[in-house]
Amino acid sequence: MLDAVYAGRPAHQLESEQLDFKTVGRSVSDTLTDLAEAAACFANHRGGVIVVGVHDRPGGPDALVGCTLDEPQTRLAIFERTEPSLTVDVAPLMYRDTRMVVITVPESAAVHAVRGRVTQRVGTSCMAMSPDQTARLVADRRGEDWTDLSTDLPASAVDPLAMAQARQFLRDTKDSVRQSFADLSDADLLRALGVLTRHGTLNRAGALLLVDDPHGLVHTAYVHRRTPAGELTANEQLSAPLVTTLARLFDLISARTDTTSVDVSPLVQVQVADLPPAAIREALVNAVMHRDYRGPDRIVVEHTATRLAVTSPGGFVSGVTPDNVLTTASRSRNPRLAEAIRKLGLGETAGLGVDRMYAAMAGLGHRPPEFTTDEGTVKV
């Protein structure tokens, strides 16, 4: 990176979600506060590196101004200025006879503030977080499961159509144990799914899956166009319980997915779906399973003849990025909801859903699925 700056590239063009360049300001005290804010910002995201002694612009040898900050003093200042205190690594770096300081910030299990302000790295900026966003990040870092919390809804609050659909999903599985769940009483089925508390009320996972929202809140939108820029041919706003919504999405997409004839031998021809059903199913189930339900935003499913895009509220959970989504250990934002969905036979064993999407796409010669995130959403 420093070679590129020395060669003339402005440092700000090299900054990223995990790299920032700084210089010493008008006073050491102000600089240390600025560094504490930058460190907290990185720690509240996925960690990062701060290089002190490089001007953002322009590039060239003159951008490498260096700094004389003392490493122990810098480490202590960041520790003292952050709440809760943040421990970072501070080390000197010599480059072309210019001394700089490199601050390595780990991703933290806590959420850190400086002077009462909480920020998080988004792109190349530190964005202020609202109290609600901060509370969600704290819950995610602590591994708290919002969907495991109890509601005051009795078991009788479940929607009969949703229960019937849940039983149908169970009968459609190839697992004899799951199939046997379909014949249980409502109360026993709710217990088997893990959505009935010991007090006889539904947890939030059960309410999401099986209770009709009395306010008709739309949580999922489906839109279809023949071409990406074409006119809408379908636009459905879905507010039903999640099991009913998933069944409806499966039907909507299946009815509008084209097939192509493929000759497998001179005498045998098969019809192959242009979009692999297994990949479609996993993309939809993953969105429902892992989205953030603590806000009003909705899942958006955009469908064309050759493309399906599913956008769900809530960024990746801590430690997961678009680059490592296939290889990193699986961790759900909503473990209780995820468990119930898997028991219904809708989701893969933990950690295998994304693998199955990749395999389904590769099996038909398609490019692998693409994941993007802007911290507020995940899109596949």
Side-chain angles (χ1 to χ4, degrees), residues 51-329:
V51 181
V52 188
V54 182
H55 272 304
D56 277 352
R57 55 174 68 82
D62 291 343
L64 306 177
V65 295
C67 78
T68 59
L69 289 177
D70 177 71
E71 298 95 65
Q73 179 189 15
T74 302
R75 186 183 302 110
L76 179 61
I78 292 174
F79 183 85
E80 292 179 338
R81 284 167 166 79
T82 49
E83 177 60 39
S85 298
L86 173 63
T87 300
V88 300
D89 180 71
V90 183
L93 171 68
M94 293 298 298
Y95 180 82
R96 293 182 179 269
D97 298 325
T98 301
R99 180 185 181 277
M100 303 175 194
V101 167
V102 177
I103 303 170
T104 303
V105 184
E107 178 181 351
S108 178
V111 176
H112 301 272
V114 176
R115 296 186 292 193
R117 185 169 179 261
V118 180
T119 63
Q120 188 178 53
R121 188 79 169 180
V122 178
T124 59
S125 301
C126 285
M127 306 298 292
M129 299 180 67
S130 69
D132 282 347
Q133 290 172 322
T134 302
R136 292 175 192 176
L137 182 59
V138 169
D140 286 344
R141 294 281 168 95
R142 291 176 177 173
E144 296 175 2
D145 183 3
W146 183 87
T147 64
D148 195 32
L149 298 178
S150 179
T151 72
D152 58 1
L153 295 171
S156 59
V158 297
D159 177 53
L161 291 178
M163 287 296 286
Q165 182 60 65
R167 295 180 192 280
Q168 188 59 54
F169 280 141
L170 290 166
R171 293 189 182 100
D172 289 342
T173 68
K174 298 178 181 179
D175 184 293
S176 60
V177 174
R178 287 192 179 113
Q179 289 173 350
S180 69
F181 288 172
D183 298 322
L184 296 174
S185 67
D186 282 1
D188 286 342
L189 176 54
L190 295 174
R191 291 189 188 94
L193 294 176
V195 299
L196 194 65
T197 72
R198 59 189 178 87
H199 301 295
T201 59
L202 295 170
N203 56 30
R204 284 175 170 166
L208 288 168
L209 284 168
L210 299 164
V211 176
D212 205 4
D213 188 325
H215 306 293
L217 180 67
V218 173
H219 53 69
T220 305
Y222 170 84
V223 294
H224 178 266
R225 294 177 172 87
R226 292 298 303 170
T227 62
E231 294 184 0
L232 281 176
T233 58
N235 183 0
E236 291 211 16
Q237 308 299 305
L238 305 174
S239 60
L242 292 182
V243 291
T244 312
T245 293
L246 279 170
R248 180 60 179 160
L249 287 172
F250 295 158
D251 289 344
L252 287 168
I253 294 171
S254 176
R256 293 171 174 81
T257 298
D258 296 330
T259 59
T260 299
S261 298
V262 177
D263 294 325
V264 296
S265 74
L267 299 177
V268 178
Q269 187 179 75
V270 296
Q271 298 295 315
V272 177
D274 292 342
L275 294 173
I280 291 171
R281 186 182 181 94
E282 291 302 327
L284 295 173
V285 170
N286 273 337
V288 168
M289 188 183 289
H290 300 303
R291 65 153 288 178
D292 190 342
Y293 286 97
R294 293 166 292 189
D297 295 332
R298 62 190 65 179
I299 294 171
V300 178
V301 181
E302 301 167 276
H303 185 198
T304 69
T306 58
R307 180 175 180 269
L308 184 79
V310 183
T311 304
S312 56
F316 283 117
V317 295
S318 179
V320 180
T321 71
D323 295 329
N324 69 13
V325 66
L326 185 62
T327 58
T328 193

Side-chain angles (χ1 to χ4, degrees), residues 342-373:
R342 292 188 185 106
K343 285 181 176 178
L344 286 168
L346 294 173
E348 284 293 298
T349 302
L352 296 182
V354 174
D355 302 59
R356 189 177 182 189
M357 268 192 278
Y358 273 78
M361 297 295 285
L364 291 181
H366 292 295
R367 292 182 301 173
E370 298 177 0
F371 290 84
T372 59
T373 181

